[in-house]
Amino acid sequence: MPEVSGVPEAGDGPEAGGGPEAASSSRSLGPVALVIGGGLSVQFGAAIAVLLMPRTGALGVVSLRLALAAVVLLAFCRPTLRGHSRADWGTVVVFGTVLAAMNGLFYQSADRIPLGAAVTLEVLGPLTLSVIVSRRWVNVLWAGLALAGVLLLSGGGFDRLDPLGAAFALSAGAMWAAYIVFSARTGRRFPQADGLALAMGVGALIALPFGIVESGSKLIVPSTLGLALAVALMSSVLPYTLELLALRRMPSSTFAVLMSLEPAIAASAGFLLLDQALSTTESLAIALVIVASMGAVRTQVGRRNAGKRAGRARARAEAARAAEAAGSAGAAAEMRAEK
């Protein structure tokens, strides 16, 4: 798998047209495209997983998804097991545990409540992480708007959705926040997607016993394995790889709020593949969460851009002062020479 971090994309340089601003814009859009592509893949993969649940149960789907994804990633990446520190391996083990917990909790939720509602509740985890990391009061307002959307979705109480399904979704959200943190750490400690492949193997080892207990020989039915492979590729291999690459090129806080687009993607997947239509109230609730996320993204991007502009202005001012000082020194030297 090619290394992406730090390699300029085609057309990034000033000579490609548009100058430094165009290059900066291109580099900013690259990680965003990776995250959105991963979101589309994971949510449509989740819809296929819901179709698979009657055959294997939620834990069976999770175990097959992680096991098949681990096989694909380990075969493709062929990560080396030598030369890593104890801290590296500790990061991989924690990341793998988080992967198993996040997927297990989410599929338990999706088995009980509509996919769009499950992801809307789950996304509170990344949004909370964004607020904590950014440390800006305006993001607290955006988080409040998202919470209003969640309350509207629940109708003022989660009993309308299924309390256990809602609890599973909220717990999966906490694991999602942890996933963002440890995915970024793993990406920094291991080259390419090696750390992800190793963590997926750890997650598969944790989840597989639960799947075997729940489903037994149902896990090895050929048609079930075919669907599970599609889920593994769409919901694990492709999106996690794209997200790991994106996290090398953008702050975790920005990544976290971009994740809040996923309720809309999940609702679309649920409607197209599972015939899960949303009411007007549910659509409005999801829209509130998405608006809150976009507001948080704009706040953070605007802050970074303002900082960059201020830095460039300071650099220009310092260069002008240096040039003026050099000119004054030159003029003084000429006057002394004339004397």
Side-chain angles (χ1 to χ4, degrees):
M1 189 167 293
E3 176 65 55
V4 175
S5 178
V7 179
E9 303 283 23
D12 270 0
E15 66 277 9
E21 294 294 337
S24 176
S25 176
S26 175
R27 286 192 294 269
S28 298
L29 289 175
V32 172
L34 292 175
V35 174
I36 293 176
L40 287 168
S41 181
V42 74
Q43 296 308 333
F44 278 86
I48 296 175
V50 172
L51 293 173
L52 188 57
M53 283 180 192
R55 301 188 186 191
T56 65
L59 295 177
V61 172
V62 172
S63 61
L64 283 177
R65 168 183 165 176
L66 293 180
L68 292 172
V71 169
V72 171
L73 283 170
L74 288 170
F76 189 67
C77 298
R78 286 181 285 185
T80 179
L81 302 180
R82 297 180 178 179
H84 302 300
S85 67
R86 183 177 298 180
D88 293 340
W89 285 113
T91 300
V92 160
V93 170
V94 174
F95 187 27
T97 303
V98 167
L99 281 172
M102 179 179 70
N103 284 286
L105 291 166
F106 175 74
Y107 281 133
Q108 290 287 353
S109 172
D111 197 29
R112 292 169 170 81
I113 62 177
L115 189 60
V119 177
T120 300
L121 294 173
E122 186 190 25
V123 87
L124 288 182
L127 192 58
T128 301
L129 175 64
S130 171
V131 172
I132 293 172
V133 171
S134 68
R135 299 178 182 177
R136 299 196 71 194
W137 283 107
V138 68
N139 275 351
V140 176
L141 297 177
W142 293 124
L145 183 61
L147 181 60
V150 170
L151 292 175
L152 185 62
L153 181 68
S154 68
F158 289 115
D159 55 322
R160 188 176 68 85
L161 280 177
D162 180 292
L164 188 57
F168 278 132
L170 292 170
S171 300
M175 291 297 101
W176 197 353
Y179 160 80
I180 293 171
V181 173
F182 284 96
S183 179
R185 291 183 183 179
T186 301
R188 289 191 294 267
R189 288 180 175 273
F190 291 84
Q192 302 170 343
D194 288 8
L196 174 62
L198 294 170
M200 195 69 71
V202 172
L205 291 175
I206 293 172
L208 198 54
F210 294 96
I212 292 173
V213 169
E214 182 177 67
S215 304
S217 61
K218 295 178 182 177
L219 297 178
I220 57 174
V221 174
S223 59
T224 298
L225 285 173
L227 281 174
L229 180 59
V231 172
L233 293 173
M234 293 180 66
S235 292
S236 292
V237 176
L238 180 59
Y240 292 165
T241 302
L242 293 177
E243 289 168 4
L244 183 144
L245 295 175
L247 278 164
R248 288 175 175 164
R249 303 168 65 186
M250 68 164 54
S252 295
S253 55
T254 302
F255 177 88
V257 290
L258 279 174
M259 290 289 95
S260 296
L261 281 173
E262 298 212 5
I265 300 173
S268 300
F271 175 74
L272 294 173
L273 299 183
L274 305 175
D275 198 27
Q276 294 178 344
L278 295 174
S279 67
T280 303
T281 301
E282 290 168 335
S283 299
L284 178 60
I286 291 174
L288 285 175
V289 175
I290 293 170
V291 168
S293 303
M294 292 301 95
V297 169
R298 287 182 62 85
T299 298
Q300 293 181 19
V301 171
R303 184 185 185 186
R304 287 200 306 275
N305 289 342
K308 290 178 181 177
R309 287 194 295 270
R312 288 195 294 267
R314 284 195 298 270
R316 285 195 296 267
E318 289 173 2
R321 284 195 295 270
E324 183 179 352
S328 299
E334 289 179 3
M335 290 177 65
R336 286 196 297 270
E338 290 175 355
K339 292 179 179 179

